[in-house]
């Protein structure tokens, strides 16, 4: 036994030191301390130290067996076999280093990752060389001493202490509410029956609205998925986080809602049916578990008696999450996104026999033609709109099932529940289709149903103005979580409302690089001049009932929403004097923190597209790729 303990000293020391080094590197790389996420930094350090200590012991055990086999085989097997065994022992000794190279990024595939491979291989070589030198050293030097045992014991105690502190940091003695955040992708507020739509599109959501606060003046920060989700997850406008139509990626230097809640001890889980909400865009940052449910068979969404992938994942998450730890769960549903294919009975409820016969042809038509001189007819738009209503009814059923799961689980009244959307959809309004090329309220005004724990303020209707960045701060305040450093002060939607008209609602649309990649080169060659008018950046600001849309090509717009809620009568030319427009420009630049600059309508470079075929196929099915 003493001999075994002697041999254990080296892997304990090396594993601990390596784990602490990697954990420290991660803390610096993720900027946890700079962002104020101290508990998350401790958790990362503890898990890294414990994990690499375990890997070091595994590697040591494997190396010991391989070396013993090589020693016993000496003289019996050829030199080639012995060389293989010694090489295996060398690799096993450096196991933590090779795992560090591979975890998360797999093997480096680009020049930007070669530094990590070089550093890892260099450390592996140093580790092995140190072991070789130690093994050939005089026995008197290798004889265990109290100092060596003390060092190994200190390392083991340090790892144990870190793990204990990590568990303490992950739990709080004071009970805090769970959080369920549901995003209904591509759902505009005015199509929910609880928001006044005459057709009964959302009965389950309407029933939930009776238990919640319904916000009638709530807005997204953009008309597309990536920038709006990034604002929801960071509390920042697109001008700050820069995850836009031009970049498609959230930089890791920004702390996310999931990270802040994890730092506060929450168990974080996400399930997304949208490929643009996940690892592709780094919108999964901070989630302990994140399931890209779009990867599952699309047929599961319409088969009877088969749970929706999001709901199945959420049920599994609830089953494995102890009640002693609060959770944050995020669900993104894509049913309202083109191409529309509502299942029965919702299809027949909203489309007559003639429309059902036309639906397949209308949905299969490339929407890009609408912008290339072949606009959809009023009849086609009506069919698309009816299909959309059917999808909303289907979506309402799915969300109702998820809420029923939470009730059966017994944590419904212990949970802050927020149901909102990232953007809306055009059906010919302002001449537009889908959710591209514009910042009108058709795509920016979204629903918000917010139910505080315990069902307080049931059935309340709030006309206070708010947007997705406020929801970020509302969730943090409700859970007693400190906001990360660098997040500007905002409005708690459950707190006192600001004075009417004092709030500036801001939204942004960047150069449509991603959208243009959907058009065929033949289409662009033949009719590309028709798209030139859309090659611009848009910034919108809404103050009370006046909405100003700034355009980088100078074609600005101004609307009086009290008289013109559909935004059809542009007042800019009549009121473009400095006294009338100046305050909007000044306030917009102040809110964005940038100076607005006019630019020419040049065609932007297409953003980088993922090479994973499954991702490409999913994006193609949604109309995001050719």
């Amino acid at each position: 036994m003493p001999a075994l303990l002697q041999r254990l000293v080296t892997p304990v020391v090396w594993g601990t030191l390596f784990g602490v080094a990697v954990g420290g590197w991660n803390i610096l790389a993720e900027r946890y301390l700079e962002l104020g996420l101290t508990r998350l930094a401790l958790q990362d350090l503890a898990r890294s130290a414990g994990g690499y200590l375990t890997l070091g012991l595994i590697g040591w055990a494997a190396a010991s067996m391989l070396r013993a086999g090589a020693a016993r085989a000496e003289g019996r097997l050829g030199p080639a076999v012995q060389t293989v065994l010694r090489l295996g022992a060398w690799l096993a000794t450096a196991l933590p280093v090779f795992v560090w190279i591979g975890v998360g990024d797999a093997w480096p595939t680009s020049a930007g990752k070669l530094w990590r491979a070089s550093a890892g291989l260099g450390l592996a070589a140093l580790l092995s060389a140190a072991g070789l030198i130690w093994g050939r050293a005089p026995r008197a030097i290798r004889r265990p001493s109290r100092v060596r045992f003390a060092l190994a014991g200190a390392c083991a105690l340090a790892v144990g202490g870190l793990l204990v502190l990590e568990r303490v940091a992950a739990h709080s003695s004071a009970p805090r509410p769970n959080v369920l955040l549901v995003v209904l992708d591509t759902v505009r507020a005015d199509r929910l029956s609880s928001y006044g739509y005459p057709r009964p599109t959302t009965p389950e959501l309407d029933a939930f609205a009776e238990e919640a606060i319904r916000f009638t003046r709530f807005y997204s920060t953009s008309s597309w998925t990536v920038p709006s989700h990034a604002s929801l997850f960071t509390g920042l406008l697109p001008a700050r986080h820069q995850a836009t139509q031009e970049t498609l990626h959230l930089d890791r230097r920004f702390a996310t809602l999931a990270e802040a809640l994890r730092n506060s001890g929450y168990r974080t889980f996400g399930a997304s049916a949208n490929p643009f909400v996940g690892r592709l865009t780094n919108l999964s940052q901070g989630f302990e578990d994140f399931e890209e449910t779009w990867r599952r068979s699309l047929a599961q969404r319409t088969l009877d008696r088969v749970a929706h992938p999001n709901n199945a994942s959420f049920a599994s998450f609830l089953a494995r999450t102890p009640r002693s730890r609060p959770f944050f769960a995020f669900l993104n549903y894509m049913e309202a996104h083109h191409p529309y294919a509502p299942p029965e009975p919702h299809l027949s409820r909203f489309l007559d026999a003639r429309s059902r016969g036309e639906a397949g042809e209308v949905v299969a038509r490339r929407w890009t033609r609408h912008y290339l001189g072949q606009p959809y007819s009023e009849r086609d738009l009506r069919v698309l709109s009816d299909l959309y209503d059917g999808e909303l009814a289907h979506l309402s059923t799915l969300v109702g099932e998820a809420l029923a799961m939470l009730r059966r689980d017994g944590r419904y009244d212990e949970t802050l529940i927020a149901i909102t959307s990232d953007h809306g959809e055009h059906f010919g309004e302002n001449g537009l289709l889908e959710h591209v090329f514009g910042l009108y309220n058709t795509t920016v005004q979204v629903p918000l149903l917010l139910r505080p724990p315990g069902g307080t303020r049931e059935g309340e209707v709030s006309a206070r103005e708010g947007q997705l960045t406020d929801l970020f701060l509302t969730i943090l305040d409700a859970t007693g979580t400190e906001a990360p450093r660098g997040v500007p002060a905002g409005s708690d939607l459950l707190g006192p409302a600001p004075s009417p008209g004092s709030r500036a609602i801001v939204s942004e649309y960047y150069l449509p690089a991603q959208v243009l990649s959907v058009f065929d080169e033949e289409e662009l060659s033949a009719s590309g001049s028709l798209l030139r008018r859309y090659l611009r950046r848009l910034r919108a600001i809404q103050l009370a009932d006046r909405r100003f849309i700034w355009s980088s090509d100078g074609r600005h717009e101004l609307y009086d929403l009290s008289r013109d809620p559909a935004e059809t009568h542009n007042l800019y030319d009549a009121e473009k004097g400095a006294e009338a427009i100046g305050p909007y420009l000044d306030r917009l630049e102040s809110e964005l923190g940038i100076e607005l600059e006019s630019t020419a309508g040049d065609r932007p470079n297409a953003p980088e597209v993922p090479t994973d075929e499954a991702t490409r196929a999913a994006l193609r099915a949604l109309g995001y790729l050719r």
Side-chain angles (χ1 to χ4, degrees):
M1 183 61 70
L4 177 62
L5 290 176
Q6 294 171 24
R7 291 194 293 270
L8 279 173
V9 169
T10 299
V12 168
V13 173
W14 277 112
T16 303
L17 294 180
F18 196 87
V20 170
V22 172
W25 174 268
N26 288 338
I27 290 171
L28 293 175
E30 301 295 338
R31 302 172 70 245
Y32 287 145
L33 297 178
E34 184 178 343
L35 294 169
L37 304 176
T38 54
R39 290 184 178 181
L40 202 54
L42 177 61
Q43 293 172 25
D44 198 295
L45 187 63
R47 291 169 183 170
S48 178
Y52 281 102
L53 172 57
T54 302
L55 286 171
L57 292 173
I58 293 173
W60 164 80
S64 298
M65 288 188 288
L66 290 169
R67 289 194 183 97
R72 292 181 181 179
E74 190 170 358
R76 301 178 188 176
L77 301 175
V81 176
Q82 293 188 45
T83 301
V84 170
L85 290 173
R86 291 192 181 98
L87 179 61
W90 182 84
L91 293 173
T93 302
L95 178 64
V97 177
F98 289 108
V99 171
W100 177 58
I101 296 173
V103 165
D105 295 327
W107 282 94
T109 55
S110 66
K113 297 177 183 176
L114 288 178
W115 68 269
R116 188 171 184 177
S118 302
L121 291 172
L123 284 171
L126 289 174
L127 246 170
S128 301
L132 181 63
I133 293 171
W134 183 260
R136 293 175 177 267
R139 183 170 296 181
I141 297 177
R142 290 190 287 116
R143 186 173 295 133
S145 64
R146 292 181 179 178
V147 174
R148 289 177 57 214
F149 275 116
L151 181 58
C155 288
L157 287 173
V159 172
L162 283 171
L163 291 172
V164 170
L165 287 174
E166 186 270 334
R167 298 310 298 169
V168 171
H171 294 79
S172 174
S173 57
R176 290 178 295 168
N178 306 305
V179 179
L180 174 60
L181 173 59
V182 178
V183 171
L184 313 175
D185 209 293
T186 322
V187 171
R188 46 193 275 184
D190 63 356
R191 299 302 280 266
L192 274 67
S193 38
S194 57
Y195 276 76
Y197 192 55
R199 306 178 90 181
T201 51
T202 51
E204 292 82 6
L205 291 174
D206 300 342
F208 176 75
E210 293 298 320
E211 304 178 5
I213 308 169
R214 177 166 58 86
F215 290 81
T216 60
R217 296 170 65 87
F218 192 72
Y219 303 86
S220 179
T221 55
S222 185
S223 57
W224 190 52
T225 295
V226 173
S228 57
H229 274 84
S231 291
L232 175 62
F233 287 166
T234 65
L236 304 173
L237 292 171
R240 288 282 306 278
H241 61 63
Q242 286 296 303
T244 68
Q245 288 84 349
E246 299 175 23
T247 54
L248 310 185
H249 191 269
L250 178 65
D251 196 291
R252 296 198 67 85
R253 72 179 183 272
F254 299 109
T256 65
L257 178 61
E259 283 181 313
L261 290 171
R262 273 185 64 194
N263 185 62
S264 185
Y266 273 71
R267 178 98 160 81
T268 56
F269 163 80
S272 171
N274 189 336
F276 273 127
V277 181
R279 295 173 182 85
L280 171 65
T281 52
N282 193 40
L283 290 173
S284 59
Q285 179 179 322
F287 288 94
E288 293 173 273
D289 295 322
F290 196 93
E291 298 191 28
E292 295 181 322
T293 56
W294 58 267
R295 293 185 181 274
R296 304 186 189 181
S297 171
L298 296 179
Q300 290 188 24
R301 301 183 185 182
T302 56
L303 290 176
D304 293 336
R305 299 185 300 277
V306 176
H308 186 281
N310 279 4
N311 291 355
S313 296
F314 184 47
S316 176
F317 168 74
L318 289 175
R320 66 178 184 268
T321 301
R323 296 177 180 274
S324 58
R325 185 179 179 188
F327 68 76
F328 165 54
F330 161 75
L331 303 174
N332 171 287
Y333 292 87
M334 284 287 285
E335 275 60 35
H337 195 285
H338 184 90
Y340 314 121
E344 294 290 1
H346 309 297
L347 179 63
S348 297
R349 285 178 55 203
F350 293 95
L351 279 82
D352 57 29
R354 178 188 172 191
S355 297
R356 292 197 299 274
E358 299 172 349
E361 181 180 349
V362 173
V363 172
R365 180 183 176 188
R366 284 181 56 81
W367 62 265
T368 54
R369 297 177 184 175
H370 180 81
Y371 295 99
L372 297 175
Q374 302 176 47
Y376 279 60
S377 67
E378 288 296 325
R379 176 67 188 174
D380 291 343
L381 292 173
R382 183 70 260 169
V383 171
L384 286 177
S385 179
D386 289 344
L387 286 168
Y388 181 78
D389 287 346
E391 286 285 22
L392 285 180
H394 178 42
L395 174 60
S396 179
T397 300
L398 296 175
V399 176
E401 292 173 357
L403 296 175
M405 291 178 191
L406 192 57
R407 288 190 183 94
R408 289 194 299 269
D409 179 78
R411 282 179 272 191
Y412 184 81
D413 279 332
E414 302 168 8
T415 303
L416 171 69
I417 303 173
I419 300 177
T420 188
S421 175
D422 56 344
H423 57 78
E425 188 81 313
H426 290 296
F427 293 102
E429 297 90 348
N430 299 97
L432 300 176
L433 189 70
E434 293 275 316
H435 42 274
V436 299
F437 301 144
L439 276 182
Y440 302 106
N441 275 337
T442 310
T443 54
V444 174
Q445 189 167 8
V446 295
L448 173 63
L449 305 175
L450 187 60
R451 184 183 191 272
T456 58
R457 303 172 65 174
E458 289 188 356
E460 181 178 327
V461 178
S462 175
R464 69 179 293 172
E465 295 165 316
Q467 57 186 128
L468 291 178
T469 50
D470 299 322
L471 196 53
F472 173 89
L473 293 165
T474 300
I475 291 174
L476 293 185
D477 286 349
T479 57
T481 300
E482 184 177 354
R485 297 192 185 116
V487 178
S491 177
D492 180 355
L493 297 171
L494 295 175
S499 57
S502 64
R503 181 68 195 278
I505 300 298
V506 176
S507 52
E508 304 178 68
Y509 189 85
Y510 282 68
L511 287 177
Q514 177 276 321
V515 177
L516 293 183
S517 66
V518 179
F519 289 80
D520 289 333
E521 287 301 326
E522 293 182 3
E523 292 176 328
L524 294 176
S525 298
S527 308
S529 60
L530 297 175
L531 291 175
R532 191 167 295 120
R533 64 192 306 265
Y534 300 117
L535 303 185
R536 57 179 182 167
R537 293 187 178 97
L538 299 172
R539 309 292 209 286
I541 184 168
Q542 186 168 313
L543 296 170
D545 289 326
R546 303 273 283 187
R547 183 171 178 79
F548 174 66
I549 303 176
W550 175 90
S551 175
S552 60
D553 64 0
R555 290 186 292 121
H556 311 313
E557 301 170 66
L558 178 66
Y559 298 99
D560 184 347
L561 300 179
S562 63
R563 300 179 179 180
D564 179 25
E567 297 169 273
T568 58
H569 303 292
N570 185 4
L571 303 176
Y572 177 76
D573 288 338
E575 301 186 22
K576 63 183 179 182
E579 292 183 1
I581 302 301
Y584 294 100
L585 288 171
D586 293 342
R587 184 71 181 271
L588 187 54
E589 289 185 336
S590 174
E591 294 288 335
L592 295 174
I594 61 173
E595 184 176 345
L596 298 174
E597 296 181 357
S598 298
T599 58
D602 296 328
R603 180 177 173 181
N605 295 324
E608 184 177 351
V609 177
T611 57
D612 172 41
E613 185 52 39
T615 304
R616 293 178 64 89
L619 293 176
R620 194 176 295 115
L622 294 170
Y624 284 130
L625 288 179
R626 289 196 298 272

